[in-house]
Amino acid sequence: MKKSIFLNLVTGGLLLMTTTWVSCNSGETSNTAATDSTAATTEPMAMAKAMATLTGTMPDTTLNGTVEFDAEAGGQVKMKLELMVPSKANKSVAVHIHQMGDCGDMGKMTGGHWNPTNQSHGKWGSASFHSGDIGNISLDNTGKGSLELTSNLWSIGGDSTTNILDRAIIVHGGVDDYTSQPAGNSGARIGCGVIKKSN
């Protein structure tokens, strides 16, 4: 129920009429704006994605591939790696995330392994390993290999201890022995790609 209250004020010979609407609705208030805002915040949000395109760093080594990262529920990031190195057919190569997103100087500008938690180098999932210690990829008789890995040690744009953006994926010419410090004696850097947000 709404009541109108009329107030007549005479000031300087002018009659001012003010109409005030008072809502008598038992203290209920409109929450339309709040409801709309809540609806907006509960709508599904697109999950972040990132990707590195791998190319060869050596003039005598053909190499290409992609590494895709997809943020998933629960703070997990899923990595899908596809790699082709014909000259390494029926062999394995080591792949790591390196600190710097710069593939210059044949991959040397990427620095060392990405290791934000200051761990010793090792095999992924062991007692001690770098956040960038992806490991060895087995290649088939055409030189093609793939790997999928899901981890909560990575994020796409999170804090400095997990953020993979603007770091580099390095493909090595040898295999990681998971023991030698600080990089597993993995050989030359034959491929590189910088991780960039893709949406």
Side-chain angles (χ1 to χ4, degrees), residues 95-162:
V95 177
H96 304 120
I97 302 176
H98 282 238
Q99 293 174 325
M100 311 302 293
D102 184 347
C103 288
D105 193 16
M106 300 171 69
K108 294 176 184 175
M109 297 298 290
T110 61
H113 290 186
W114 177 47
N115 184 24
T117 54
N118 295 313
Q119 299 292 311
S120 295
H121 173 69
K123 186 175 182 179
W124 184 272
S126 63
S128 181
F129 62 98
H130 301 156
S131 296
D133 284 345
I134 294 173
N136 295 323
I137 311 296
S138 296
L139 306 178
D140 65 15
N141 60 4
T142 67
K144 184 177 180 180
S146 63
L147 178 70
E148 291 188 7
L149 180 63
T150 300
S151 177
N152 61 4
L153 297 178
W154 301 333
S155 70
I156 300 173
D159 65 34
S160 61
T161 64
T162 62

Short mmCIF file of all heavy atoms in Angstrom, two decimals, residues 95-162:
data_model
loop_
_atom_site.label_atom_id
_atom_site.label_comp_id
_atom_site.label_asym_id
_atom_site.label_seq_id
_atom_site.Cartn_x
_atom_site.Cartn_y
_atom_site.Cartn_z
N VAL A 95 61.97 -32.93 -21.92
CA VAL A 95 61.24 -31.67 -22.06
C VAL A 95 61.09 -31.04 -20.68
O VAL A 95 60.72 -31.72 -19.71
CB VAL A 95 59.85 -31.89 -22.69
CG1 VAL A 95 59.08 -30.58 -22.77
CG2 VAL A 95 59.97 -32.51 -24.09
N HIS A 96 61.41 -29.75 -20.60
CA HIS A 96 61.31 -29.02 -19.34
C HIS A 96 60.70 -27.65 -19.56
O HIS A 96 60.78 -27.10 -20.66
CB HIS A 96 62.70 -28.81 -18.69
CG HIS A 96 63.46 -30.08 -18.46
ND1 HIS A 96 64.69 -30.32 -19.04
CD2 HIS A 96 63.17 -31.18 -17.73
CE1 HIS A 96 65.14 -31.51 -18.65
NE2 HIS A 96 64.22 -32.05 -17.86
N ILE A 97 60.13 -27.09 -18.49
CA ILE A 97 59.76 -25.67 -18.48
C ILE A 97 60.96 -24.90 -17.95
O ILE A 97 61.49 -25.23 -16.88
CB ILE A 97 58.53 -25.40 -17.60
CG1 ILE A 97 57.33 -26.23 -18.08
CG2 ILE A 97 58.19 -23.91 -17.60
CD1 ILE A 97 56.10 -26.10 -17.19
N HIS A 98 61.40 -23.89 -18.69
CA HIS A 98 62.53 -23.06 -18.27
C HIS A 98 62.05 -21.68 -17.82
O HIS A 98 60.93 -21.26 -18.13
CB HIS A 98 63.55 -22.95 -19.40
CG HIS A 98 64.41 -24.17 -19.54
ND1 HIS A 98 65.79 -24.13 -19.45
CD2 HIS A 98 64.10 -25.47 -19.75
CE1 HIS A 98 66.29 -25.34 -19.61
NE2 HIS A 98 65.28 -26.19 -19.79
N GLN A 99 62.90 -20.99 -17.09
CA GLN A 99 62.53 -19.76 -16.39
C GLN A 99 62.04 -18.63 -17.28
O GLN A 99 61.04 -17.99 -16.99
CB GLN A 99 63.74 -19.23 -15.60
CG GLN A 99 64.17 -20.10 -14.44
CD GLN A 99 65.45 -19.57 -13.80
OE1 GLN A 99 66.32 -19.04 -14.47
NE2 GLN A 99 65.53 -19.71 -12.50
N MET A 100 62.78 -18.33 -18.33
CA MET A 100 62.55 -17.11 -19.11
C MET A 100 61.87 -17.39 -20.44
O MET A 100 62.20 -18.36 -21.12
CB MET A 100 63.87 -16.38 -19.36
CG MET A 100 64.73 -16.19 -18.11
SD MET A 100 63.90 -15.27 -16.79
CE MET A 100 63.79 -13.66 -17.58
N GLY A 101 60.94 -16.53 -20.80
CA GLY A 101 60.23 -16.68 -22.06
C GLY A 101 60.95 -16.03 -23.23
O GLY A 101 60.42 -15.15 -23.90
N ASP A 102 62.16 -16.46 -23.48
CA ASP A 102 62.98 -15.92 -24.56
C ASP A 102 63.77 -17.06 -25.20
O ASP A 102 64.69 -17.61 -24.57
CB ASP A 102 63.92 -14.85 -24.01
CG ASP A 102 64.76 -14.15 -25.08
OD1 ASP A 102 64.81 -14.65 -26.23
OD2 ASP A 102 65.37 -13.11 -24.76
N CYS A 103 63.44 -17.41 -26.43
CA CYS A 103 64.08 -18.55 -27.11
C CYS A 103 65.35 -18.15 -27.85
O CYS A 103 65.90 -18.95 -28.62
CB CYS A 103 63.09 -19.20 -28.07
SG CYS A 103 61.78 -20.13 -27.25
N GLY A 104 65.84 -16.93 -27.62
CA GLY A 104 67.02 -16.46 -28.34
C GLY A 104 68.28 -17.25 -28.02
O GLY A 104 68.33 -18.02 -27.05
N ASP A 105 69.28 -17.06 -28.88
CA ASP A 105 70.58 -17.72 -28.75
C ASP A 105 70.42 -19.23 -28.63
O ASP A 105 70.95 -19.87 -27.72
CB ASP A 105 71.34 -17.15 -27.54
CG ASP A 105 72.81 -17.55 -27.53
OD1 ASP A 105 73.32 -17.99 -28.59
OD2 ASP A 105 73.44 -17.44 -26.46
N MET A 106 69.64 -19.78 -29.57
CA MET A 106 69.43 -21.23 -29.64
C MET A 106 68.87 -21.80 -28.33
O MET A 106 69.23 -22.89 -27.90
CB MET A 106 70.73 -21.93 -30.04
CG MET A 106 71.26 -21.47 -31.40
SD MET A 106 72.91 -22.07 -31.81
CE MET A 106 72.61 -23.81 -32.03
N GLY A 107 67.97 -21.05 -27.72
CA GLY A 107 67.31 -21.50 -26.50
C GLY A 107 68.04 -21.20 -25.21
O GLY A 107 67.50 -21.42 -24.12
N LYS A 108 69.26 -20.67 -25.32
CA LYS A 108 70.04 -20.42 -24.10
C LYS A 108 69.48 -19.27 -23.26
O LYS A 108 69.71 -19.19 -22.05
CB LYS A 108 71.49 -20.13 -24.47
CG LYS A 108 72.21 -21.33 -25.08
CD LYS A 108 73.62 -20.95 -25.53
CE LYS A 108 74.30 -22.12 -26.24
NZ LYS A 108 75.63 -21.74 -26.79
N MET A 109 68.73 -18.36 -23.91
CA MET A 109 68.17 -17.21 -23.20
C MET A 109 67.03 -17.59 -22.25
O MET A 109 66.57 -16.77 -21.47
CB MET A 109 67.68 -16.16 -24.20
CG MET A 109 68.78 -15.57 -25.06
SD MET A 109 70.04 -14.68 -24.10
CE MET A 109 69.09 -13.27 -23.56
N THR A 110 66.61 -18.85 -22.29
CA THR A 110 65.53 -19.28 -21.39
C THR A 110 66.02 -19.52 -19.96
O THR A 110 65.21 -19.72 -19.05
CB THR A 110 64.87 -20.59 -21.90
OG1 THR A 110 65.86 -21.62 -21.95
CG2 THR A 110 64.25 -20.40 -23.26
N GLY A 111 67.33 -19.50 -19.75
CA GLY A 111 67.86 -19.74 -18.42
C GLY A 111 67.74 -21.20 -18.02
O GLY A 111 67.64 -22.09 -18.86
N GLY A 112 67.75 -21.43 -16.72
CA GLY A 112 67.66 -22.79 -16.20
C GLY A 112 66.23 -23.27 -16.04
O GLY A 112 65.28 -22.58 -16.41
N HIS A 113 66.07 -24.44 -15.48
CA HIS A 113 64.75 -24.98 -15.23
C HIS A 113 63.96 -24.04 -14.32
O HIS A 113 64.51 -23.43 -13.40
CB HIS A 113 64.83 -26.34 -14.52
CG HIS A 113 65.34 -27.44 -15.38
ND1 HIS A 113 65.37 -28.75 -14.98
CD2 HIS A 113 65.85 -27.45 -16.64
CE1 HIS A 113 65.86 -29.51 -15.94
NE2 HIS A 113 66.16 -28.73 -16.96
N TRP A 114 62.65 -23.96 -14.60
CA TRP A 114 61.78 -23.19 -13.72
C TRP A 114 61.64 -23.94 -12.40
O TRP A 114 61.18 -25.08 -12.37
CB TRP A 114 60.42 -23.01 -14.40
CG TRP A 114 59.42 -22.28 -13.56
CD1 TRP A 114 59.62 -21.13 -12.85
CD2 TRP A 114 58.07 -22.67 -13.33
NE1 TRP A 114 58.46 -20.77 -12.20
CE2 TRP A 114 57.49 -21.69 -12.48
CE3 TRP A 114 57.29 -23.73 -13.77
CZ2 TRP A 114 56.17 -21.75 -12.06
CZ3 TRP A 114 55.97 -23.79 -13.36
CH2 TRP A 114 55.42 -22.81 -12.51
N ASN A 115 62.06 -23.30 -11.31
CA ASN A 115 62.14 -23.96 -10.01
C ASN A 115 61.76 -22.99 -8.90
O ASN A 115 62.58 -22.62 -8.06
CB ASN A 115 63.57 -24.50 -9.81
CG ASN A 115 63.72 -25.30 -8.53
OD1 ASN A 115 62.76 -25.84 -7.99
ND2 ASN A 115 64.94 -25.36 -8.03
N PRO A 116 60.49 -22.54 -8.88
CA PRO A 116 60.08 -21.51 -7.92
C PRO A 116 60.11 -21.94 -6.46
O PRO A 116 60.11 -21.10 -5.56
CB PRO A 116 58.66 -21.17 -8.37
CG PRO A 116 58.16 -22.43 -9.01
CD PRO A 116 59.37 -23.00 -9.70
N THR A 117 60.13 -23.26 -6.22
CA THR A 117 60.11 -23.75 -4.83
C THR A 117 61.49 -24.20 -4.35
O THR A 117 61.62 -24.77 -3.27
CB THR A 117 59.10 -24.91 -4.70
OG1 THR A 117 59.41 -25.91 -5.69
CG2 THR A 117 57.68 -24.42 -4.95
N ASN A 118 62.52 -23.94 -5.18
CA ASN A 118 63.90 -24.24 -4.80
C ASN A 118 64.12 -25.71 -4.40
O ASN A 118 64.73 -26.01 -3.37
CB ASN A 118 64.36 -23.31 -3.67
CG ASN A 118 64.40 -21.86 -4.10
OD1 ASN A 118 64.93 -21.54 -5.15
ND2 ASN A 118 63.81 -20.99 -3.29
N GLN A 119 63.63 -26.60 -5.25
CA GLN A 119 63.82 -28.03 -5.03
C GLN A 119 65.03 -28.53 -5.83
O GLN A 119 65.50 -27.88 -6.75
CB GLN A 119 62.57 -28.79 -5.48
CG GLN A 119 61.31 -28.42 -4.75
CD GLN A 119 61.33 -28.85 -3.30
OE1 GLN A 119 61.66 -29.99 -2.98
NE2 GLN A 119 61.01 -27.93 -2.39
N SER A 120 65.51 -29.70 -5.49
CA SER A 120 66.53 -30.36 -6.30
C SER A 120 65.87 -30.94 -7.54
O SER A 120 64.69 -31.30 -7.52
CB SER A 120 67.21 -31.49 -5.51
OG SER A 120 67.91 -30.97 -4.40
N HIS A 121 66.62 -31.03 -8.64
CA HIS A 121 66.10 -31.63 -9.86
C HIS A 121 65.78 -33.10 -9.64
O HIS A 121 66.48 -33.80 -8.89
CB HIS A 121 67.13 -31.50 -10.99
CG HIS A 121 66.75 -32.22 -12.23
ND1 HIS A 121 65.71 -31.83 -13.04
CD2 HIS A 121 67.26 -33.35 -12.80
CE1 HIS A 121 65.61 -32.68 -14.05
NE2 HIS A 121 66.54 -33.60 -13.93
N GLY A 122 64.75 -33.58 -10.30
CA GLY A 122 64.39 -34.99 -10.18
C GLY A 122 63.25 -35.36 -11.10
O GLY A 122 62.81 -34.56 -11.93
N LYS A 123 62.79 -36.56 -10.97
CA LYS A 123 61.68 -37.05 -11.79
C LYS A 123 60.36 -36.51 -11.25
O LYS A 123 60.15 -36.45 -10.03
CB LYS A 123 61.66 -38.59 -11.77
CG LYS A 123 60.63 -39.20 -12.72
CD LYS A 123 60.75 -40.71 -12.73
CE LYS A 123 59.76 -41.33 -13.72
NZ LYS A 123 59.88 -42.81 -13.78
N TRP A 124 59.49 -36.12 -12.17
CA TRP A 124 58.18 -35.59 -11.78
C TRP A 124 57.46 -36.55 -10.82
O TRP A 124 57.38 -37.75 -11.07
CB TRP A 124 57.32 -35.38 -13.02
CG TRP A 124 55.99 -34.75 -12.70
CD1 TRP A 124 54.85 -35.39 -12.35
CD2 TRP A 124 55.71 -33.35 -12.67
NE1 TRP A 124 53.86 -34.48 -12.10
CE2 TRP A 124 54.36 -33.22 -12.29
CE3 TRP A 124 56.46 -32.20 -12.93
CZ2 TRP A 124 53.72 -31.97 -12.18
CZ3 TRP A 124 55.84 -30.97 -12.82
CH2 TRP A 124 54.50 -30.86 -12.44
N GLY A 125 56.99 -36.02 -9.70
CA GLY A 125 56.26 -36.82 -8.73
C GLY A 125 57.12 -37.51 -7.70
O GLY A 125 56.61 -38.17 -6.79
N SER A 126 58.45 -37.37 -7.81
CA SER A 126 59.35 -38.00 -6.84
C SER A 126 59.47 -37.11 -5.60
O SER A 126 58.80 -36.08 -5.48
CB SER A 126 60.73 -38.23 -7.46
OG SER A 126 61.34 -37.00 -7.82
N ALA A 127 60.35 -37.46 -4.69
CA ALA A 127 60.49 -36.71 -3.44
C ALA A 127 60.91 -35.27 -3.67
O ALA A 127 60.52 -34.37 -2.93
CB ALA A 127 61.50 -37.41 -2.53
N SER A 128 61.72 -35.03 -4.69
CA SER A 128 62.17 -33.67 -4.99
C SER A 128 62.28 -33.50 -6.50
O SER A 128 62.90 -34.31 -7.19
CB SER A 128 63.53 -33.41 -4.33
OG SER A 128 63.95 -32.08 -4.59
N PHE A 129 61.65 -32.44 -7.01
CA PHE A 129 61.71 -32.15 -8.44
C PHE A 129 61.30 -30.69 -8.67
O PHE A 129 60.63 -30.08 -7.84
CB PHE A 129 60.80 -33.08 -9.24
CG PHE A 129 59.33 -32.99 -8.90
CD1 PHE A 129 58.47 -32.22 -9.68
CD2 PHE A 129 58.81 -33.66 -7.80
CE1 PHE A 129 57.12 -32.13 -9.36
CE2 PHE A 129 57.47 -33.59 -7.48
CZ PHE A 129 56.62 -32.82 -8.26
N HIS A 130 61.75 -30.14 -9.79
CA HIS A 130 61.37 -28.78 -10.17
C HIS A 130 59.94 -28.75 -10.69
O HIS A 130 59.47 -29.72 -11.29
CB HIS A 130 62.30 -28.27 -11.28
CG HIS A 130 63.74 -28.26 -10.94
ND1 HIS A 130 64.73 -28.31 -11.91
CD2 HIS A 130 64.38 -28.19 -9.75
CE1 HIS A 130 65.92 -28.27 -11.32
NE2 HIS A 130 65.74 -28.21 -10.01
N SER A 131 59.28 -27.61 -10.55
CA SER A 131 57.95 -27.44 -11.15
C SER A 131 58.02 -27.53 -12.67
O SER A 131 57.01 -27.77 -13.33
CB SER A 131 57.35 -26.10 -10.74
OG SER A 131 57.13 -26.05 -9.35
N GLY A 132 59.23 -27.35 -13.23
CA GLY A 132 59.41 -27.46 -14.67
C GLY A 132 59.95 -28.79 -15.15
O GLY A 132 60.22 -28.96 -16.34
N ASP A 133 60.11 -29.76 -14.26
CA ASP A 133 60.68 -31.07 -14.64
C ASP A 133 59.63 -31.98 -15.28
O ASP A 133 59.19 -32.97 -14.69
CB ASP A 133 61.26 -31.76 -13.40
CG ASP A 133 62.59 -31.18 -12.97
OD1 ASP A 133 63.20 -30.45 -13.77
OD2 ASP A 133 63.01 -31.44 -11.83
N ILE A 134 59.25 -31.68 -16.52
CA ILE A 134 58.23 -32.50 -17.19
C ILE A 134 58.73 -33.92 -17.42
O ILE A 134 58.04 -34.89 -17.15
CB ILE A 134 57.80 -31.84 -18.51
CG1 ILE A 134 57.07 -30.53 -18.20
CG2 ILE A 134 56.90 -32.78 -19.32
CD1 ILE A 134 56.73 -29.70 -19.42
N GLY A 135 59.94 -34.07 -17.95
CA GLY A 135 60.52 -35.41 -18.09
C GLY A 135 60.76 -35.83 -19.52
O GLY A 135 60.84 -35.01 -20.43
N ASN A 136 60.89 -37.14 -19.72
CA ASN A 136 61.24 -37.71 -21.02
C ASN A 136 60.01 -38.09 -21.83
O ASN A 136 59.04 -38.64 -21.29
CB ASN A 136 62.13 -38.95 -20.84
CG ASN A 136 63.46 -38.60 -20.22
OD1 ASN A 136 64.04 -37.55 -20.50
ND2 ASN A 136 63.97 -39.48 -19.35
N ILE A 137 60.08 -37.81 -23.14
CA ILE A 137 58.99 -38.14 -24.07
C ILE A 137 59.48 -39.19 -25.05
O ILE A 137 60.49 -38.99 -25.74
CB ILE A 137 58.54 -36.88 -24.87
CG1 ILE A 137 58.32 -35.68 -23.94
CG2 ILE A 137 57.31 -37.20 -25.70
CD1 ILE A 137 57.23 -35.84 -22.94
N SER A 138 58.80 -40.31 -25.12
CA SER A 138 59.15 -41.37 -26.07
C SER A 138 58.59 -41.04 -27.44
O SER A 138 57.40 -40.71 -27.57
CB SER A 138 58.59 -42.72 -25.60
OG SER A 138 59.17 -43.09 -24.37
N LEU A 139 59.44 -41.14 -28.46
CA LEU A 139 59.03 -40.85 -29.83
C LEU A 139 58.90 -42.15 -30.62
O LEU A 139 59.68 -43.08 -30.44
CB LEU A 139 60.06 -39.94 -30.50
CG LEU A 139 60.40 -38.63 -29.75
CD1 LEU A 139 61.46 -37.85 -30.51
CD2 LEU A 139 59.16 -37.79 -29.52
N ASP A 140 57.92 -42.20 -31.51
CA ASP A 140 57.70 -43.42 -32.29
C ASP A 140 58.62 -43.46 -33.51
O ASP A 140 59.55 -42.66 -33.62
CB ASP A 140 56.21 -43.54 -32.68
CG ASP A 140 55.75 -42.43 -33.63
OD1 ASP A 140 56.60 -41.73 -34.23
OD2 ASP A 140 54.52 -42.28 -33.79
N ASN A 141 58.34 -44.37 -34.43
CA ASN A 141 59.24 -44.56 -35.56
C ASN A 141 59.18 -43.45 -36.60
O ASN A 141 59.93 -43.45 -37.58
CB ASN A 141 59.01 -45.92 -36.24
CG ASN A 141 57.58 -46.06 -36.76
OD1 ASN A 141 56.78 -45.14 -36.70
ND2 ASN A 141 57.28 -47.25 -37.27
N THR A 142 58.29 -42.47 -36.38
CA THR A 142 58.27 -41.29 -37.24
C THR A 142 58.84 -40.06 -36.51
O THR A 142 58.95 -38.99 -37.10
CB THR A 142 56.84 -40.95 -37.71
OG1 THR A 142 56.06 -40.55 -36.58
CG2 THR A 142 56.21 -42.15 -38.38
N GLY A 143 59.13 -40.26 -35.23
CA GLY A 143 59.63 -39.14 -34.42
C GLY A 143 58.54 -38.39 -33.70
O GLY A 143 58.77 -37.30 -33.15
N LYS A 144 57.34 -38.97 -33.66
CA LYS A 144 56.20 -38.31 -33.01
C LYS A 144 56.01 -38.82 -31.59
O LYS A 144 56.12 -40.02 -31.32
CB LYS A 144 54.92 -38.57 -33.82
CG LYS A 144 53.70 -37.86 -33.28
CD LYS A 144 52.49 -38.11 -34.17
CE LYS A 144 51.27 -37.39 -33.64
NZ LYS A 144 50.07 -37.63 -34.50
N GLY A 145 55.72 -37.88 -30.68
CA GLY A 145 55.47 -38.26 -29.29
C GLY A 145 54.46 -37.33 -28.65
O GLY A 145 54.23 -36.22 -29.13
N SER A 146 53.86 -37.78 -27.57
CA SER A 146 52.87 -36.96 -26.87
C SER A 146 52.89 -37.28 -25.38
O SER A 146 53.37 -38.34 -24.96
CB SER A 146 51.47 -37.18 -27.44
OG SER A 146 51.06 -38.52 -27.25
N LEU A 147 52.37 -36.36 -24.60
CA LEU A 147 52.29 -36.55 -23.15
C LEU A 147 51.18 -35.68 -22.60
O LEU A 147 51.01 -34.54 -23.03
CB LEU A 147 53.61 -36.17 -22.49
CG LEU A 147 53.66 -36.27 -20.96
CD1 LEU A 147 53.63 -37.74 -20.52
CD2 LEU A 147 54.90 -35.59 -20.40
N GLU A 148 50.41 -36.23 -21.66
CA GLU A 148 49.42 -35.45 -20.93
C GLU A 148 49.75 -35.50 -19.45
O GLU A 148 50.14 -36.55 -18.93
CB GLU A 148 48.01 -35.98 -21.19
CG GLU A 148 47.52 -35.73 -22.60
CD GLU A 148 46.05 -36.08 -22.79
OE1 GLU A 148 45.37 -36.40 -21.78
OE2 GLU A 148 45.58 -36.03 -23.94
N LEU A 149 49.60 -34.36 -18.79
CA LEU A 149 49.95 -34.26 -17.38
C LEU A 149 49.06 -33.22 -16.73
O LEU A 149 48.82 -32.16 -17.32
CB LEU A 149 51.42 -33.84 -17.26
CG LEU A 149 52.02 -33.67 -15.87
CD1 LEU A 149 52.02 -34.99 -15.12
CD2 LEU A 149 53.45 -33.14 -15.99
N THR A 150 48.53 -33.52 -15.55
CA THR A 150 47.69 -32.57 -14.82
C THR A 150 48.33 -32.28 -13.47
O THR A 150 48.78 -33.19 -12.77
CB THR A 150 46.27 -33.14 -14.61
OG1 THR A 150 45.69 -33.40 -15.89
CG2 THR A 150 45.39 -32.16 -13.86
N SER A 151 48.38 -31.00 -13.12
CA SER A 151 49.08 -30.61 -11.89
C SER A 151 48.45 -29.39 -11.24
O SER A 151 47.94 -28.50 -11.92
CB SER A 151 50.55 -30.29 -12.21
OG SER A 151 51.23 -29.85 -11.05
N ASN A 152 48.54 -29.33 -9.90
CA ASN A 152 48.16 -28.11 -9.19
C ASN A 152 49.38 -27.26 -8.86
O ASN A 152 49.28 -26.27 -8.15
CB ASN A 152 47.37 -28.44 -7.91
CG ASN A 152 48.19 -29.27 -6.92
OD1 ASN A 152 49.38 -29.54 -7.13
ND2 ASN A 152 47.56 -29.69 -5.83
N LEU A 153 50.55 -27.65 -9.39
CA LEU A 153 51.76 -26.84 -9.22
C LEU A 153 51.82 -25.71 -10.23
O LEU A 153 52.68 -24.84 -10.14
CB LEU A 153 53.01 -27.72 -9.37
CG LEU A 153 53.19 -28.84 -8.35
CD1 LEU A 153 54.45 -29.63 -8.66
CD2 LEU A 153 53.27 -28.26 -6.94
N TRP A 154 50.93 -25.74 -11.22
CA TRP A 154 50.91 -24.74 -12.28
C TRP A 154 49.63 -23.92 -12.22
O TRP A 154 48.59 -24.39 -11.76
CB TRP A 154 50.96 -25.42 -13.65
CG TRP A 154 52.16 -26.27 -13.90
CD1 TRP A 154 53.40 -26.15 -13.34
CD2 TRP A 154 52.24 -27.38 -14.80
NE1 TRP A 154 54.24 -27.12 -13.84
CE2 TRP A 154 53.56 -27.89 -14.74
CE3 TRP A 154 51.34 -28.00 -15.66
CZ2 TRP A 154 53.98 -28.97 -15.49
CZ3 TRP A 154 51.75 -29.07 -16.42
CH2 TRP A 154 53.07 -29.56 -16.33
N SER A 155 49.70 -22.70 -12.72
CA SER A 155 48.52 -21.87 -12.93
C SER A 155 48.74 -21.03 -14.18
O SER A 155 49.87 -20.86 -14.64
CB SER A 155 48.27 -20.95 -11.72
OG SER A 155 49.26 -19.93 -11.65
N ILE A 156 47.64 -20.53 -14.72
CA ILE A 156 47.71 -19.66 -15.89
C ILE A 156 47.40 -18.25 -15.41
O ILE A 156 46.24 -17.85 -15.33
CB ILE A 156 46.74 -20.13 -16.99
CG1 ILE A 156 47.09 -21.56 -17.41
CG2 ILE A 156 46.78 -19.19 -18.20
CD1 ILE A 156 46.09 -22.19 -18.36
N GLY A 157 48.44 -17.55 -14.99
CA GLY A 157 48.27 -16.19 -14.49
C GLY A 157 48.14 -16.07 -12.99
O GLY A 157 47.72 -15.03 -12.48
N GLY A 158 48.50 -17.11 -12.25
CA GLY A 158 48.43 -17.07 -10.79
C GLY A 158 49.64 -16.38 -10.18
O GLY A 158 50.28 -15.53 -10.81
N ASP A 159 49.98 -16.76 -8.97
CA ASP A 159 51.10 -16.10 -8.29
C ASP A 159 52.44 -16.60 -8.84
O ASP A 159 52.50 -17.50 -9.67
CB ASP A 159 51.02 -16.29 -6.77
CG ASP A 159 51.17 -17.74 -6.32
OD1 ASP A 159 51.93 -18.50 -6.97
OD2 ASP A 159 50.55 -18.12 -5.32
N SER A 160 53.51 -15.99 -8.36
CA SER A 160 54.84 -16.24 -8.93
C SER A 160 55.34 -17.67 -8.71
O SER A 160 56.25 -18.12 -9.41
CB SER A 160 55.86 -15.25 -8.34
OG SER A 160 55.95 -15.41 -6.94
N THR A 161 54.77 -18.39 -7.77
CA THR A 161 55.22 -19.76 -7.52
C THR A 161 54.55 -20.79 -8.42
O THR A 161 54.96 -21.94 -8.47
CB THR A 161 54.98 -20.17 -6.05
OG1 THR A 161 53.57 -20.18 -5.80
CG2 THR A 161 55.68 -19.23 -5.09
N THR A 162 53.49 -20.36 -9.16
CA THR A 162 52.77 -21.31 -10.01
C THR A 162 52.57 -20.83 -11.45
O THR A 162 52.28 -21.65 -12.32
CB THR A 162 51.38 -21.63 -9.43
OG1 THR A 162 50.60 -20.41 -9.38
CG2 THR A 162 51.49 -22.24 -8.04
#
